[in-house]
Amino acid sequence: MTAKPSLRSGLRSLRPEAFGADATGERLERIRRSPHFAQGQFQNPVGATVRPAGSTLELAKRYFRREERARRAPTGPVPVHATTLADLARPPASGLRLTWMGHSSVLAEIDGKRVLFDPVWGERCSPFAFAGPKRLHPVPLPLAALGPVDVVVISHDHYDHLDLPTIKALAGTDTVFAVPLGVGAHLERWGVSADRLRELDWQESTKVAGLELTATPARHFCGRGLRNQQMTLWASWAVAGDRHRIYHSGDTGYFPGFADIGAEHGPFDATMIQIGAYSDYWPDIHMTPEEGVRAHLDLQGGPHGTLLPIHWATFNLAPHPWAEPGDGTLAATRRAGVDIALPRPGEPFEPGSDAMPSTPWWRSVAPPAEAEVAAPVPEKPALAEPTRAAEGTGEPEPTPAA
């Protein structure tokens, strides 16, 4: 006699593919054994509120006000680098080259290997093809033209970092995926075989193609689908080759742990730091430009290495003006004496070289400057006492599918 399927399994079968999958079996047991998992969910290194603070009505008014909406988008086509494919055909002279593809997607060529961070080639960062934040510039080159990648690194499972169509395309290749604990369940549902997954807790490392990849702490949260139970981990990443070291922040609020990461895994030749999609409505889980530069200084123990700003310019995910992250980060690095790279999307560069891109390209399509809307950035962020993370449904931006 065939057993009838349970109501829960039946509902699971109706779950949209973009929502991914829940951890089960040994993966779930690993999650429960993690020292960063307590009270039924993953915890931040310091307390963080993940839901927007203040009045939801005021946030919605601010977000949808017509004059402010105009400031959150470029006034014309974003200048995407035109010769990415030809440039990537030449090996980097120094052994290290970074190509920012937009938002948090970066191709890192390090000591003869290729690492692809948070690849998002989809048109929307959303579970739906018809709604949600839409790309503000085209991808610099088709994913298929990128060529072989040794390892794909995912920082967390939000839609603007873990993109279903991109992962499904990469599932048909031989690449290995390094992901935070629990995220592997999504990838397996989308066609990535278990033997190509390296699923790590904070401070765990794996070797892929001679590179050492370490999942390091971040101050953020997770979630896909209608309910966010904080059952997948979020992470930043340190990658070490034979000669070079790099760091990718993923999404994170500022916290004191950057100095510890740098002391253990740095110094880094380059850091890729989130400096966009911040707001005074969610100060704990995204960094402002000032905080991003401060994180770089903490990681490096001073103004060393190159900072590449990420998590901006590609999607409209917060109330701040579109050009503000670029201008704010450039000003903060100048005050701190930090070397900054300012590539257009798709423009490869070698950190520390004399030919690093340094022109604020976004100003040619930036909306007219008006009075600042965001609250001023404090000298030092106030760190909340450790608290149980609140539930959420994904990124806290007030957009239909964020």
Side-chain angles (χ1 to χ4, degrees), residues 73-126:
T75 59
V78 173
V80 176
H81 188 63
T83 60
T84 306
L85 186 58
D87 293 343
L88 291 177
R90 296 185 294 271
S94 66
L96 177 63
R97 181 166 61 197
L98 303 180
T99 306
W100 178 54
M101 300 295 180
H103 202 55
S104 293
S105 303
V106 181
L107 174 67
E109 297 166 276
I110 174 171
D111 299 337
K113 308 303 178 182
R114 306 176 96 216
V115 183
L116 186 59
F117 292 96
D118 283 357
V120 174
W121 258 251
E123 281 301 303
R124 295 182 186 272
C125 52
S126 165

Side-chain angles (χ1 to χ4, degrees), residues 361-382:
W361 54 267
W362 59 89
R363 290 179 180 168
S364 65
V365 290
E370 295 181 16
E372 294 297 326
V373 176
V377 179
E379 269 309 301
K380 290 285 185 181

Side-chain angles (χ1 to χ4, degrees), residues 4-247:
K4 292 183 178 180
S6 67
L7 176 61
R8 184 172 181 177
S9 64
L11 291 174
R12 188 182 296 120
S13 69
L14 298 175
R15 179 174 178 162
E17 187 179 26
F19 286 3
D22 295 329
T24 58
E26 174 55 27
R27 178 175 283 120
L28 181 58
E29 290 307 309
R30 271 196 74 196
I31 289 171
R32 289 171 172 162
R33 292 195 301 266
S34 169
H36 313 295
F37 190 82
Q39 300 176 313
Q41 58 188 8
F42 281 110
Q43 305 291 318
N44 269 300
V46 296
T49 300
V50 302
R51 288 189 180 277
S55 166
T56 303
L57 178 60
E58 287 304 312
L59 172 58
K61 286 180 179 178
R62 174 172 163 183
Y63 195 84
F64 291 108
R65 196 176 297 141
R66 184 164 58 181
E67 60 270 24
E68 293 192 21
R69 289 177 64 187
R71 299 173 63 211
R72 294 200 302 274
T75 59
V78 173
V80 176
H81 188 63
T83 60
T84 306
L85 186 58
D87 293 343
L88 291 177
R90 296 185 294 271
S94 66
L96 177 63
R97 181 166 61 197
L98 303 180
T99 306
W100 178 54
M101 300 295 180
H103 202 55
S104 293
S105 303
V106 181
L107 174 67
E109 297 166 276
I110 174 171
D111 299 337
K113 308 303 178 182
R114 306 176 96 216
V115 183
L116 186 59
F117 292 96
D118 283 357
V120 174
W121 258 251
E123 281 301 303
R124 295 182 186 272
C125 52
S126 165
F128 310 111
F130 56 86
K134 191 174 182 180
R135 179 177 289 278
L136 298 174
H137 65 78
V139 290
L141 78 170
L143 187 63
L146 196 59
V149 172
D150 294 288
V151 57
V152 172
V153 174
I154 303 296
S155 65
H156 63 296
D157 70 359
H158 285 154
Y159 295 105
D160 58 323
H161 297 260
L162 182 62
D163 179 54
L164 169 62
T166 304
I167 297 301
K168 292 191 78 169
L170 290 167
T173 70
D174 294 328
T175 190
V176 171
F177 291 80
V179 302
L181 193 55
V183 174
H186 301 318
L187 273 62
E188 284 196 56
R189 182 181 184 189
W190 299 337
V192 178
S193 59
D195 63 336
R196 289 164 53 203
L197 290 173
R198 307 291 187 269
E199 203 163 345
L200 307 182
D201 203 342
W202 289 343
Q203 303 301 358
E204 290 183 342
S205 299
T206 188
K207 283 268 192 172
V208 178
L211 299 175
E212 183 175 58
L213 301 102
T214 304
T216 47
R219 191 186 186 206
H220 198 57
F221 69 116
C222 64
R224 298 175 82 89
L226 299 178
R227 294 187 67 236
N228 178 11
Q229 298 176 296
Q230 303 297 330
M231 295 289 286
T232 66
L233 190 58
W234 47 97
S236 57
W237 288 86
V239 178
D242 293 335
R243 296 171 49 209
H244 296 93
R245 293 172 179 265
I246 55 177
Y247 171 85

